[in-house]
Amino acid sequence: MRQPATRTALPVQTSGAAQDRAALPGLDRFNTAPAAEAEAALLKCSGSRRWACRLAAHRPYPDLDALLAAADEAGYDLSPTDLAEALAAEVSPGLHHAAPRSAHLALRAAHAAYECRFGHVFVICLDSFEPAEQPDQVLAGIRARLGHDPDQERVVTAEEMRRLARGRIIELISGS
């Protein structure tokens, strides 16, 4: 789940922590919501309209695992245009406002270098990291991925987008 604002966590690009998936009343609400409402909720998980429409159209899902499997499948089927649309809806991960100015400057420079090289924002799923580790993970991730060729980075970016979407779906369904 997203970290409270009082922590020194990154404010964006966390997708949500895995939770007990046994009883999720939000799945019933999601399955029975009007299509436009379900699509709007899914667009907050991934900015691809095609992805959101596809998932909404295949409702009802018997359980969260089935929804997550469908989300993964739809994510693997995204065209470069669909992925670009989803990336356009993302915001680069930043630092907590209380972080030192030098850290903000370093991160801003790293994001600029990444965006210049690949033409889109840097995305990374930070769910498996503690809030205090997240800034270092973002910087390390950008530095490592700047060495990728564009095709390799496209694959990594698509996988990070799928991971982000999965966690956001869990948040959506669990109501956290």
Side-chain angles (χ1 to χ4, degrees):
M1 77 183 91
R2 293 184 195 233
Q3 302 298 326
T6 58
R7 292 184 141 167
T8 58
L10 294 173
V12 295
Q13 286 198 350
T14 56
S15 63
Q19 298 183 8
D20 178 13
R21 299 178 185 181
L24 295 170
L27 183 61
D28 290 334
R29 285 193 305 271
F30 174 75
N31 279 334
T32 59
E37 193 176 305
E39 288 171 17
L42 289 165
L43 281 170
K44 292 178 184 174
C45 300
S46 175
S48 166
R49 279 179 259 145
R50 184 170 162 254
W51 179 89
C53 290
R54 179 174 168 177
L55 289 178
H58 287 92
R59 294 175 304 148
Y61 294 95
D63 54 37
L64 180 59
D65 288 335
L67 174 55
L68 293 173
D72 283 345
E73 183 180 333
Y76 285 116
D77 290 345
L78 291 180
S79 70
T81 302
D82 297 325
L83 184 57
E85 178 184 38
L87 284 166
E90 293 292 322
V91 177
S92 298
L95 298 174
H96 187 272
H97 70 277
R101 180 167 157 47
S102 60
H104 284 281
L105 291 173
L107 186 59
R108 212 170 315 148
H111 279 300
Y114 181 91
E115 290 179 26
C116 182
R117 175 146 167 74
F118 297 111
H120 58 79
V121 299
F122 175 78
V123 292
I124 187 169
C125 183
L126 298 166
D127 290 347
S128 61
F129 298 101
E130 294 296 321
E133 298 173 297
Q134 292 175 357
D136 290 336
Q137 292 302 316
V138 171
L139 281 170
I142 290 174
R143 287 182 184 132
R145 289 168 54 188
L146 277 169
H148 290 172
D149 65 55
D151 290 335
Q152 183 182 18
E153 183 56 20
R154 195 171 5 267
V155 170
V156 173
T157 297
E159 179 59 30
E160 291 297 322
M161 290 295 292
R162 281 188 293 280
R163 291 179 61 211
L164 286 166
R166 286 178 63 86
R168 291 169 181 167
I169 288 170
I170 291 169
E171 282 184 21
L172 171 70
I173 299 305
S174 68
S176 61

Short mmCIF file of all heavy atoms in Angstrom, two decimals, residues 110-161:
data_model
loop_
_atom_site.label_atom_id
_atom_site.label_comp_id
_atom_site.label_asym_id
_atom_site.label_seq_id
_atom_site.Cartn_x
_atom_site.Cartn_y
_atom_site.Cartn_z
N ALA A 110 19.38 13.29 -13.06
CA ALA A 110 19.27 11.90 -13.52
C ALA A 110 18.01 11.69 -14.35
O ALA A 110 18.05 11.05 -15.40
CB ALA A 110 19.30 10.94 -12.32
N HIS A 111 16.89 12.25 -13.89
CA HIS A 111 15.64 12.14 -14.66
C HIS A 111 15.79 12.82 -16.02
O HIS A 111 15.34 12.28 -17.04
CB HIS A 111 14.47 12.76 -13.91
CG HIS A 111 13.88 11.88 -12.86
ND1 HIS A 111 13.34 10.65 -13.12
CD2 HIS A 111 13.74 12.07 -11.52
CE1 HIS A 111 12.89 10.11 -12.01
NE2 HIS A 111 13.14 10.95 -11.02
N ALA A 112 16.41 13.98 -16.05
CA ALA A 112 16.58 14.70 -17.32
C ALA A 112 17.43 13.89 -18.29
O ALA A 112 17.10 13.80 -19.48
CB ALA A 112 17.20 16.08 -17.06
N ALA A 113 18.51 13.29 -17.79
CA ALA A 113 19.36 12.47 -18.65
C ALA A 113 18.58 11.27 -19.19
O ALA A 113 18.68 10.93 -20.38
CB ALA A 113 20.60 12.00 -17.88
N TYR A 114 17.80 10.64 -18.34
CA TYR A 114 17.01 9.48 -18.76
C TYR A 114 15.98 9.89 -19.82
O TYR A 114 15.86 9.25 -20.86
CB TYR A 114 16.31 8.84 -17.55
CG TYR A 114 15.50 7.63 -17.93
CD1 TYR A 114 16.06 6.36 -17.90
CD2 TYR A 114 14.17 7.76 -18.35
CE1 TYR A 114 15.33 5.25 -18.29
CE2 TYR A 114 13.44 6.66 -18.73
CZ TYR A 114 14.02 5.41 -18.70
OH TYR A 114 13.29 4.32 -19.09
N GLU A 115 15.24 10.96 -19.54
CA GLU A 115 14.21 11.40 -20.49
C GLU A 115 14.81 11.83 -21.81
O GLU A 115 14.22 11.59 -22.87
CB GLU A 115 13.36 12.50 -19.85
CG GLU A 115 12.48 11.96 -18.73
CD GLU A 115 11.63 13.02 -18.05
OE1 GLU A 115 11.32 14.05 -18.69
OE2 GLU A 115 11.29 12.82 -16.88
N CYS A 116 15.98 12.44 -21.77
CA CYS A 116 16.66 12.84 -23.00
C CYS A 116 17.05 11.61 -23.82
O CYS A 116 16.89 11.58 -25.04
CB CYS A 116 17.89 13.68 -22.66
SG CYS A 116 18.78 14.27 -24.10
N ARG A 117 17.54 10.59 -23.15
CA ARG A 117 18.00 9.37 -23.84
C ARG A 117 16.84 8.54 -24.39
O ARG A 117 16.90 8.03 -25.50
CB ARG A 117 18.84 8.52 -22.90
CG ARG A 117 19.25 7.18 -23.49
CD ARG A 117 20.61 6.74 -23.00
NE ARG A 117 20.93 5.36 -23.27
CZ ARG A 117 21.25 4.87 -24.47
NH1 ARG A 117 21.27 5.67 -25.52
NH2 ARG A 117 21.54 3.60 -24.63
N PHE A 118 15.76 8.38 -23.58
CA PHE A 118 14.70 7.45 -23.96
C PHE A 118 13.39 8.11 -24.37
O PHE A 118 12.49 7.44 -24.86
CB PHE A 118 14.47 6.43 -22.84
CG PHE A 118 15.67 5.57 -22.59
CD1 PHE A 118 16.39 5.70 -21.41
CD2 PHE A 118 16.10 4.65 -23.52
CE1 PHE A 118 17.51 4.91 -21.17
CE2 PHE A 118 17.22 3.87 -23.30
CZ PHE A 118 17.94 4.00 -22.13
N GLY A 119 13.23 9.39 -24.12
CA GLY A 119 12.04 10.11 -24.57
C GLY A 119 10.80 9.93 -23.73
O GLY A 119 9.70 10.25 -24.16
N HIS A 120 10.95 9.41 -22.52
CA HIS A 120 9.81 9.26 -21.61
C HIS A 120 10.30 9.27 -20.18
O HIS A 120 11.51 9.14 -19.93
CB HIS A 120 9.01 7.99 -21.91
CG HIS A 120 9.82 6.73 -21.82
ND1 HIS A 120 10.14 6.13 -20.62
CD2 HIS A 120 10.39 5.96 -22.79
CE1 HIS A 120 10.86 5.05 -20.85
NE2 HIS A 120 11.03 4.92 -22.16
N VAL A 121 9.36 9.38 -19.25
CA VAL A 121 9.71 9.41 -17.84
C VAL A 121 10.28 8.05 -17.41
O VAL A 121 9.97 7.02 -18.00
CB VAL A 121 8.51 9.78 -16.93
CG1 VAL A 121 7.99 11.15 -17.25
CG2 VAL A 121 7.43 8.74 -16.97
N PHE A 122 11.08 8.09 -16.37
CA PHE A 122 11.62 6.89 -15.76
C PHE A 122 10.56 6.30 -14.85
O PHE A 122 9.96 7.02 -14.05
CB PHE A 122 12.87 7.26 -14.95
CG PHE A 122 13.44 6.11 -14.17
CD1 PHE A 122 14.20 5.15 -14.80
CD2 PHE A 122 13.22 6.01 -12.81
CE1 PHE A 122 14.74 4.09 -14.08
CE2 PHE A 122 13.76 4.97 -12.08
CZ PHE A 122 14.52 3.99 -12.72
N VAL A 123 10.31 5.00 -14.98
CA VAL A 123 9.37 4.32 -14.10
C VAL A 123 10.08 3.17 -13.41
O VAL A 123 10.92 2.49 -14.01
CB VAL A 123 8.10 3.82 -14.83
CG1 VAL A 123 7.25 4.97 -15.31
CG2 VAL A 123 8.45 2.90 -15.97
N ILE A 124 9.70 2.98 -12.16
CA ILE A 124 10.26 1.89 -11.37
C ILE A 124 9.26 1.54 -10.28
O ILE A 124 8.65 2.42 -9.68
CB ILE A 124 11.63 2.28 -10.77
CG1 ILE A 124 12.29 1.08 -10.09
CG2 ILE A 124 11.50 3.46 -9.82
CD1 ILE A 124 13.75 1.32 -9.70
N CYS A 125 9.06 0.27 -10.06
CA CYS A 125 8.18 -0.20 -9.01
C CYS A 125 9.02 -0.36 -7.74
O CYS A 125 10.02 -1.08 -7.74
CB CYS A 125 7.53 -1.52 -9.39
SG CYS A 125 6.37 -2.12 -8.16
N LEU A 126 8.61 0.31 -6.69
CA LEU A 126 9.40 0.35 -5.45
C LEU A 126 8.74 -0.42 -4.32
O LEU A 126 9.12 -0.25 -3.16
CB LEU A 126 9.60 1.81 -5.04
CG LEU A 126 10.37 2.65 -6.05
CD1 LEU A 126 10.24 4.12 -5.73
CD2 LEU A 126 11.82 2.22 -6.09
N ASP A 127 7.80 -1.27 -4.62
CA ASP A 127 7.04 -1.96 -3.58
C ASP A 127 7.88 -2.81 -2.64
O ASP A 127 7.54 -2.96 -1.48
CB ASP A 127 5.97 -2.86 -4.21
CG ASP A 127 4.86 -2.06 -4.83
OD1 ASP A 127 4.79 -0.84 -4.58
OD2 ASP A 127 4.07 -2.65 -5.57
N SER A 128 8.95 -3.38 -3.12
CA SER A 128 9.73 -4.29 -2.27
C SER A 128 10.79 -3.56 -1.44
O SER A 128 11.58 -4.21 -0.76
CB SER A 128 10.39 -5.37 -3.12
OG SER A 128 11.27 -4.79 -4.07
N PHE A 129 10.78 -2.23 -1.48
CA PHE A 129 11.78 -1.46 -0.76
C PHE A 129 11.14 -0.63 0.35
O PHE A 129 10.05 -0.09 0.18
CB PHE A 129 12.54 -0.53 -1.72
CG PHE A 129 13.28 -1.28 -2.78
CD1 PHE A 129 12.75 -1.39 -4.05
CD2 PHE A 129 14.48 -1.90 -2.49
CE1 PHE A 129 13.42 -2.11 -5.04
CE2 PHE A 129 15.16 -2.61 -3.47
CZ PHE A 129 14.63 -2.72 -4.74
N GLU A 130 11.86 -0.51 1.43
CA GLU A 130 11.42 0.35 2.53
C GLU A 130 11.51 1.80 2.06
O GLU A 130 12.33 2.13 1.20
CB GLU A 130 12.32 0.14 3.75
CG GLU A 130 12.20 -1.23 4.37
CD GLU A 130 10.82 -1.49 4.94
OE1 GLU A 130 10.22 -0.56 5.53
OE2 GLU A 130 10.32 -2.62 4.78
N PRO A 131 10.68 2.68 2.64
CA PRO A 131 10.71 4.09 2.22
C PRO A 131 12.10 4.72 2.25
O PRO A 131 12.46 5.47 1.35
CB PRO A 131 9.76 4.77 3.21
CG PRO A 131 8.81 3.68 3.59
CD PRO A 131 9.63 2.41 3.61
N ALA A 132 12.89 4.40 3.25
CA ALA A 132 14.22 4.99 3.35
C ALA A 132 15.15 4.53 2.22
O ALA A 132 16.10 5.22 1.87
CB ALA A 132 14.84 4.67 4.70
N GLU A 133 14.88 3.37 1.63
CA GLU A 133 15.71 2.82 0.56
C GLU A 133 15.29 3.33 -0.82
O GLU A 133 16.06 3.23 -1.77
CB GLU A 133 15.60 1.29 0.54
CG GLU A 133 16.08 0.59 1.78
CD GLU A 133 15.78 -0.89 1.72
OE1 GLU A 133 14.59 -1.26 1.66
OE2 GLU A 133 16.75 -1.67 1.71
N GLN A 134 14.09 3.83 -0.94
CA GLN A 134 13.54 4.16 -2.24
C GLN A 134 14.32 5.22 -3.02
O GLN A 134 14.56 5.04 -4.21
CB GLN A 134 12.06 4.51 -2.11
CG GLN A 134 11.24 3.29 -1.72
CD GLN A 134 9.78 3.61 -1.47
OE1 GLN A 134 9.35 4.76 -1.53
NE2 GLN A 134 9.00 2.58 -1.18
N PRO A 135 14.75 6.31 -2.40
CA PRO A 135 15.52 7.29 -3.19
C PRO A 135 16.79 6.69 -3.80
O PRO A 135 17.10 6.94 -4.96
CB PRO A 135 15.86 8.38 -2.17
CG PRO A 135 14.79 8.27 -1.13
CD PRO A 135 14.47 6.80 -1.05
N ASP A 136 17.51 5.89 -3.01
CA ASP A 136 18.72 5.25 -3.54
C ASP A 136 18.38 4.29 -4.67
O ASP A 136 19.13 4.18 -5.64
CB ASP A 136 19.46 4.50 -2.43
CG ASP A 136 20.10 5.44 -1.42
OD1 ASP A 136 20.36 6.61 -1.78
OD2 ASP A 136 20.31 5.01 -0.27
N GLN A 137 17.26 3.58 -4.55
CA GLN A 137 16.86 2.64 -5.60
C GLN A 137 16.52 3.36 -6.89
O GLN A 137 16.82 2.88 -7.97
CB GLN A 137 15.68 1.79 -5.13
CG GLN A 137 16.04 0.81 -4.02
CD GLN A 137 17.15 -0.12 -4.44
OE1 GLN A 137 17.16 -0.65 -5.55
NE2 GLN A 137 18.10 -0.34 -3.55
N VAL A 138 15.87 4.52 -6.77
CA VAL A 138 15.55 5.30 -7.97
C VAL A 138 16.82 5.75 -8.66
O VAL A 138 16.99 5.56 -9.87
CB VAL A 138 14.65 6.50 -7.63
CG1 VAL A 138 14.49 7.42 -8.83
CG2 VAL A 138 13.28 6.03 -7.16
N LEU A 139 17.74 6.33 -7.90
CA LEU A 139 18.99 6.80 -8.50
C LEU A 139 19.79 5.64 -9.09
O LEU A 139 20.30 5.74 -10.21
CB LEU A 139 19.83 7.55 -7.47
CG LEU A 139 19.39 8.99 -7.21
CD1 LEU A 139 20.11 9.57 -6.01
CD2 LEU A 139 19.64 9.85 -8.45
N ALA A 140 19.89 4.55 -8.37
CA ALA A 140 20.63 3.39 -8.88
C ALA A 140 19.95 2.83 -10.13
O ALA A 140 20.63 2.45 -11.09
CB ALA A 140 20.73 2.31 -7.80
N GLY A 141 18.62 2.80 -10.11
CA GLY A 141 17.89 2.30 -11.27
C GLY A 141 18.11 3.16 -12.50
O GLY A 141 18.34 2.64 -13.61
N ILE A 142 18.04 4.45 -12.33
CA ILE A 142 18.26 5.35 -13.47
C ILE A 142 19.67 5.17 -14.01
O ILE A 142 19.88 5.03 -15.22
CB ILE A 142 18.01 6.83 -13.09
CG1 ILE A 142 16.53 7.08 -12.84
CG2 ILE A 142 18.53 7.76 -14.19
CD1 ILE A 142 16.21 8.47 -12.31
N ARG A 143 20.64 5.17 -13.11
CA ARG A 143 22.04 5.03 -13.55
C ARG A 143 22.25 3.73 -14.31
O ARG A 143 22.89 3.71 -15.36
CB ARG A 143 22.97 5.12 -12.35
CG ARG A 143 23.08 6.52 -11.80
CD ARG A 143 24.05 6.59 -10.63
NE ARG A 143 24.04 7.94 -10.08
CZ ARG A 143 23.94 8.21 -8.78
NH1 ARG A 143 23.84 7.23 -7.90
NH2 ARG A 143 23.94 9.45 -8.38
N ALA A 144 21.74 2.64 -13.78
CA ALA A 144 21.91 1.34 -14.44
C ALA A 144 21.20 1.32 -15.79
O ALA A 144 21.75 0.83 -16.78
CB ALA A 144 21.40 0.22 -13.55
N ARG A 145 19.99 1.84 -15.82
CA ARG A 145 19.20 1.74 -17.03
C ARG A 145 19.62 2.72 -18.11
O ARG A 145 19.32 2.52 -19.29
CB ARG A 145 17.71 1.85 -16.68
CG ARG A 145 17.27 0.57 -15.95
CD ARG A 145 15.93 0.64 -15.30
NE ARG A 145 14.86 1.06 -16.17
CZ ARG A 145 13.63 1.34 -15.75
NH1 ARG A 145 13.32 1.21 -14.47
NH2 ARG A 145 12.71 1.72 -16.61
N LEU A 146 20.35 3.77 -17.75
CA LEU A 146 20.90 4.66 -18.77
C LEU A 146 21.87 3.93 -19.69
O LEU A 146 22.09 4.34 -20.83
CB LEU A 146 21.59 5.87 -18.13
CG LEU A 146 20.68 7.02 -17.74
CD1 LEU A 146 21.42 8.02 -16.87
CD2 LEU A 146 20.07 7.69 -18.96
N GLY A 147 22.43 2.82 -19.22
CA GLY A 147 23.35 2.02 -20.03
C GLY A 147 22.65 1.08 -21.00
O GLY A 147 23.30 0.46 -21.84
N HIS A 148 21.33 0.97 -20.90
CA HIS A 148 20.59 0.09 -21.80
C HIS A 148 20.49 0.69 -23.19
O HIS A 148 20.46 1.91 -23.35
CB HIS A 148 19.16 -0.12 -21.29
CG HIS A 148 19.08 -0.94 -20.04
ND1 HIS A 148 17.91 -1.09 -19.34
CD2 HIS A 148 20.01 -1.65 -19.35
CE1 HIS A 148 18.11 -1.86 -18.30
NE2 HIS A 148 19.39 -2.21 -18.28
N ASP A 149 20.39 -0.17 -24.17
CA ASP A 149 20.04 0.33 -25.51
C ASP A 149 18.52 0.52 -25.51
O ASP A 149 17.82 -0.01 -24.65
CB ASP A 149 20.53 -0.61 -26.62
CG ASP A 149 19.86 -1.97 -26.61
OD1 ASP A 149 18.60 -2.02 -26.65
OD2 ASP A 149 20.58 -2.98 -26.56
N PRO A 150 17.98 1.29 -26.43
CA PRO A 150 16.54 1.59 -26.41
C PRO A 150 15.63 0.36 -26.42
O PRO A 150 14.61 0.35 -25.73
CB PRO A 150 16.34 2.46 -27.66
CG PRO A 150 17.65 3.14 -27.84
CD PRO A 150 18.68 2.10 -27.45
N ASP A 151 15.98 -0.68 -27.16
CA ASP A 151 15.14 -1.87 -27.19
C ASP A 151 15.14 -2.58 -25.83
O ASP A 151 14.09 -3.02 -25.36
CB ASP A 151 15.60 -2.85 -28.27
CG ASP A 151 15.32 -2.33 -29.67
OD1 ASP A 151 14.38 -1.50 -29.82
OD2 ASP A 151 16.04 -2.73 -30.61
N GLN A 152 16.30 -2.68 -25.23
CA GLN A 152 16.40 -3.30 -23.91
C GLN A 152 15.62 -2.49 -22.87
O GLN A 152 14.90 -3.05 -22.04
CB GLN A 152 17.88 -3.40 -23.51
CG GLN A 152 18.15 -4.08 -22.20
CD GLN A 152 19.64 -4.08 -21.86
OE1 GLN A 152 20.43 -3.31 -22.41
NE2 GLN A 152 20.02 -4.96 -20.94
N GLU A 153 15.74 -1.18 -22.94
CA GLU A 153 15.03 -0.33 -21.97
C GLU A 153 13.52 -0.39 -22.18
O GLU A 153 12.76 -0.34 -21.22
CB GLU A 153 15.53 1.11 -22.03
CG GLU A 153 14.88 2.02 -21.01
CD GLU A 153 15.01 1.56 -19.56
OE1 GLU A 153 15.90 0.74 -19.23
OE2 GLU A 153 14.20 2.02 -18.73
N ARG A 154 13.08 -0.54 -23.41
CA ARG A 154 11.65 -0.66 -23.68
C ARG A 154 11.08 -1.90 -22.97
O ARG A 154 10.01 -1.86 -22.38
CB ARG A 154 11.40 -0.72 -25.19
CG ARG A 154 9.99 -0.47 -25.61
CD ARG A 154 9.78 -0.32 -27.11
NE ARG A 154 10.92 -0.52 -28.00
CZ ARG A 154 11.74 0.43 -28.43
NH1 ARG A 154 11.58 1.67 -28.05
NH2 ARG A 154 12.75 0.15 -29.25
N VAL A 155 11.82 -2.99 -22.99
CA VAL A 155 11.39 -4.23 -22.32
C VAL A 155 11.34 -4.02 -20.80
O VAL A 155 10.37 -4.40 -20.14
CB VAL A 155 12.32 -5.40 -22.71
CG1 VAL A 155 12.05 -6.62 -21.84
CG2 VAL A 155 12.18 -5.74 -24.18
N VAL A 156 12.38 -3.42 -20.25
CA VAL A 156 12.44 -3.18 -18.80
C VAL A 156 11.32 -2.22 -18.38
O VAL A 156 10.64 -2.45 -17.38
CB VAL A 156 13.82 -2.63 -18.38
CG1 VAL A 156 13.83 -2.21 -16.93
CG2 VAL A 156 14.90 -3.67 -18.64
N THR A 157 11.11 -1.18 -19.14
CA THR A 157 10.06 -0.21 -18.83
C THR A 157 8.69 -0.86 -18.86
O THR A 157 7.87 -0.63 -17.97
CB THR A 157 10.12 0.98 -19.83
OG1 THR A 157 11.37 1.64 -19.67
CG2 THR A 157 8.98 1.95 -19.60
N ALA A 158 8.44 -1.69 -19.86
CA ALA A 158 7.14 -2.37 -19.94
C ALA A 158 6.93 -3.27 -18.73
O ALA A 158 5.82 -3.33 -18.17
CB ALA A 158 7.05 -3.18 -21.24
N GLU A 159 7.97 -3.96 -18.29
CA GLU A 159 7.86 -4.82 -17.10
C GLU A 159 7.61 -3.98 -15.85
O GLU A 159 6.77 -4.36 -15.01
CB GLU A 159 9.12 -5.67 -16.93
CG GLU A 159 9.08 -6.58 -15.71
CD GLU A 159 7.90 -7.56 -15.72
OE1 GLU A 159 7.44 -7.97 -16.79
OE2 GLU A 159 7.45 -7.92 -14.61
N GLU A 160 8.28 -2.87 -15.70
CA GLU A 160 8.04 -1.99 -14.55
C GLU A 160 6.60 -1.46 -14.57
O GLU A 160 5.95 -1.37 -13.53
CB GLU A 160 9.04 -0.84 -14.51
CG GLU A 160 10.46 -1.26 -14.19
CD GLU A 160 10.64 -1.88 -12.82
OE1 GLU A 160 10.00 -1.41 -11.85
OE2 GLU A 160 11.43 -2.83 -12.71
N MET A 161 6.10 -1.14 -15.75
CA MET A 161 4.72 -0.67 -15.87
C MET A 161 3.74 -1.77 -15.46
O MET A 161 2.74 -1.50 -14.78
CB MET A 161 4.42 -0.19 -17.30
CG MET A 161 5.14 1.09 -17.69
SD MET A 161 4.62 2.53 -16.73
CE MET A 161 2.95 2.72 -17.32
#
